[in-house]
Structures are given as structure tokens and as C-alpha cells.
């Protein structure tokens, strides 16, 4: 496993254990995370910097309860690591459930996450939280 792929593999393990500080530790100071789904998803948007990414995790946790998060394949292409997987969850304030395949693109520089781009079924999640 390449170094960048190993970093991302560990990052997913930290996510599954809700270790947000460990995730932020592998981000550059000016990291940018792009999450689709605005305005239906309250945590969507471009989050720049570690504080904004930390706020993203807080908003995500207040909006969704993730019950499954499974990375399935990793492909590295230069400074980018692409990961495909599946996740499922529900709205903690109600009965809405969702599941979706996802694809993540991570761009690293000197062993740190510089950019993250998320791709998933935003409609399924929006319906689960009652926004569509």
C-alpha cells in the first residue's frame, strides 16, 4: 500500500471511531473539503481550513446517524487517492433512513490532506432528513 493510500485508509478508521482530532491532524491548515447537496443538506458546501472541517463534522453528526460506512476499493493516481464505498444511516430526529454508494477523491501534499471531494446520492440523504 502506498503512503498516501495508507494515510487515507487510517483516516477512514479514525472516521469510523469518531476521532475528528486525528482526522484534522492529517489535514493542511488550508484544507478544502467539498460536500455536495446545498441547500438541502445543512453540512454541505466547501469547508476551508481545519476549523471549518471540524464544524462540518459537528453539523454532520447533528444531522445524521451513520450506521454503516464501508470503504471498498482504493486507487492512487499521483497525489490523488480515489476511494469507492457504501454507507447507510438515518435521521436521529425521525424515521428517515438512507443508503448510498459514494466515491471520494483525496488530494494530498507532503502526507497531508489538501483537498477532499465527496460524491454520493444527495437526494437519498435529503429525503431521509425530510428536506425533499
Amino acid at each position: 500500500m502506498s503512503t498516501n493510500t495508507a494515510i487515507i485508509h487510517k483516516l477512514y478508521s479514525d472516521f469510523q471511531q469518531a476521532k475528528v482530532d486525528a482526522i484534522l491532524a492529517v489535514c493542511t491548515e488550508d484544507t478544502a473539503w467539498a460536500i455536495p447537496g446545498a441547500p438541502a443538506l445543512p453540512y454541505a458546501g466547501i469547508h476551508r481550513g481545519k476549523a471549518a472541517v471540524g464544524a462540518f463534522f459537528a453539523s454532520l453528526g447533528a444531522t445524521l446517524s451513520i450506521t454503516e460506512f464501508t470503504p471498498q476499493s482504493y486507487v492512487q493516481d499521483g497525489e490523488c487517492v480515489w476511494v469507492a464505498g457504501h454507507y447507510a444511516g438515518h435521521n436521529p430526529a425521525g424515521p428517515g433512513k438512507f443508503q448510498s454508494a459514494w466515491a471520494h477523491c483525496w488530494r494530498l501534499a507532503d502526507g497531508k490532506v489538501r483537498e477532499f471531494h465527496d460524491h454520493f446520492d444527495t437526494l437519498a440523504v435529503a429525503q431521509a432528513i425530510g428536506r425533499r
Side-chain angles (χ1 to χ4, degrees), residues 2-124:
S2 75
T3 301
N4 283 350
T5 301
I7 290 166
I8 299 306
H9 192 270
K10 169 79 167 72
L11 190 142
Y12 285 126
S13 176
D14 291 337
F15 177 76
Q16 290 169 326
Q17 298 173 46
K19 295 181 177 179
V20 174
D21 289 340
I23 295 168
L24 295 176
V26 298
C27 291
T28 62
E29 292 300 322
D30 62 346
T31 192
W33 288 38
I35 314 299
L41 304 179
Y43 55 84
I46 298 177
H47 309 280
R48 295 185 190 279
K50 289 183 179 188
V53 171
F56 153 74
F57 278 110
S59 181
L60 176 67
T63 305
L64 296 176
S65 178
I66 307 294
T67 57
E68 177 198 340
F69 185 84
T70 309
Q72 297 169 321
S73 63
Y74 296 76
V75 176
Q76 183 169 339
D77 181 16
E79 64 184 8
C80 293
V81 178
W82 286 88
V83 185
H86 181 268
Y87 79 139
H90 62 89
N91 174 356
K97 294 183 179 182
F98 74 92
Q99 61 178 326
S100 175
W102 51 257
H104 293 162
C105 178
W106 300 92
R107 185 176 303 274
L108 291 92
D110 299 320
K112 298 278 188 176
V113 174
R114 191 173 73 203
E115 293 177 18
F116 167 70
H117 298 271
D118 195 357
H119 309 274
F120 62 96
D121 185 347
T122 57
L123 180 58

